[in-house]
Amino acid sequence: MLTPIAGKSVIVTGGSKGIGRGIAELFASKGAKVTIASRSSEAAGTACSAILAAGGTARHVPTDVSEWNDVNDLVKNTIQTYGGVDVLCANAGVFPQTKIVDMEPDDWDHVLSTNLKSSFLCVKACIPAFEAAGSGRVILTSSITGPVTGFPGWSHYGASKSGQLGFLKTAAMELSKYNTTINAVMPGNIYTEGLDGLGEEYLDTMASSIPMKRLGDVADIANAALFFASDEAGYITGQQLIVDGGQILPESLEAIDEI
């Protein structure tokens, strides 16, 4: 059993839906005081209402995570409200599917700013809180797409997720000064509302190519994040954990047929 995180202040960026909402709900269910950072006030309000109805503590701070002033205000607001920041879950991300031939430079910049630049901004903004507390935890939501695999249309997404892991290595060394760890969870195909537009055939095909024969659930990622946020993970930093049901293991679809 992990050391309780009850009473700890946790920021979850992109926490209004999908994996971020799953992380926010799990941490809140364990007694953490959750701040959801999101541009979508409606979705964030729904997420906060669900957490409150379940007996948890959560609030929403409208934030564009690609903008320094917004991120800095988010952290200062959280410190004023909850007394500090103990855990940062830098989860915000977008994944529009556009092939390189059709991609505009602004499309590239938008994805890199939202997914990668935001990780840097959020970590930088939280350093004073970690220094004041004498400890901290950072969990990045990366992906297998980019660092391990590729898929047509997601070159910008893959670059952003690979970039997070590059940032992670040096950040781990620099954050150690503040007794703070930083690690990354690398999801495979996780079922969220964001995948609905890809169609049932795509979802079924992806599930059939995974040894566990299913897409992951947001709780699978949230549980990994909870471990990295725990006292028990206090000597783990600069690492990444793939959570994909074995998706990257088969050499071919024929290997799946042999299971």
Side-chain angles (χ1 to χ4, degrees):
M1 181 179 295
L2 300 179
T3 302
I5 63 166
K8 290 191 175 182
S9 172
V10 179
I11 291 177
V12 183
T13 67
S16 64
K17 54 187 177 180
I19 289 174
R21 178 169 172 174
I23 292 172
E25 289 180 340
L26 179 62
F27 276 72
S29 74
K30 302 298 183 181
K33 298 175 291 187
V34 174
T35 297
I36 291 176
S38 169
R39 285 181 290 194
S40 174
S41 295
E42 182 178 355
T46 300
C48 287
S49 294
I51 289 172
L52 295 172
T57 301
R59 70 202 185 98
H60 171 230
V61 177
T63 308
D64 181 343
V65 293
S66 67
E67 295 292 336
W68 169 245
N69 288 338
D70 271 25
V71 172
N72 207 26
D73 288 345
L74 161 70
V75 174
K76 289 180 178 178
N77 183 290
T78 301
I79 292 171
Q80 291 171 356
T81 303
Y82 289 151
V85 178
D86 299 299
V87 181
L88 166 65
C89 295
N91 167 82
V94 293
F95 50 97
Q97 189 172 13
T98 308
K99 291 184 179 179
I100 296 170
V101 67
D102 300 316
M103 189 183 299
E104 297 295 334
D106 285 348
D107 298 331
W108 176 275
D109 289 344
H110 173 61
V111 171
L112 269 290
S113 291
T114 304
N115 297 4
L116 178 56
K117 179 184 176 183
S118 66
S119 297
F120 154 68
L121 294 180
C122 290
V123 168
K124 177 178 174 61
C126 285
I127 285 177
F130 296 149
E131 183 175 20
S135 64
R137 295 283 187 273
V138 179
I139 301 97
L140 307 179
T141 302
S142 182
S143 176
I144 63 170
T145 304
V148 183
T149 66
F151 198 93
W154 284 325
S155 62
H156 46 5
Y157 177 81
S160 72
K161 295 303 177 179
S162 295
Q164 282 183 310
L165 299 187
F167 169 72
L168 173 78
K169 302 303 182 183
T170 296
M173 291 186 283
E174 295 186 14
L175 291 176
S176 66
K177 177 180 178 180
Y178 313 106
N179 191 32
T180 294
T181 66
I182 177 170
N183 296 287
V185 181
M186 298 170 62
N189 277 270
I190 307 300
Y191 182 77
T192 68
E193 60 269 39
L195 294 183
D196 287 339
L198 299 178
E200 197 66 31
E201 182 178 354
Y202 172 84
L203 298 179
D204 290 343
T205 299
M206 292 310 300
S208 67
S209 67
I210 298 170
M212 296 298 291
K213 299 297 184 181
R214 68 173 178 88
L215 298 183
D217 187 82
V218 293
D220 295 317
I221 308 306
N223 283 324
L226 183 66
F227 168 67
F228 278 138
S230 71
D231 289 349
E232 285 74 10
Y235 201 56
I236 302 172
T237 193
Q239 303 303 311
Q240 57 258 10
L241 176 63
I242 294 175
V243 183
D244 72 343
Q247 181 178 340
I248 66 170
L249 300 178
E251 293 186 10
S252 64
L253 290 178
E254 285 74 16
I256 295 291
D257 294 336
E258 294 295 322
I259 297 177

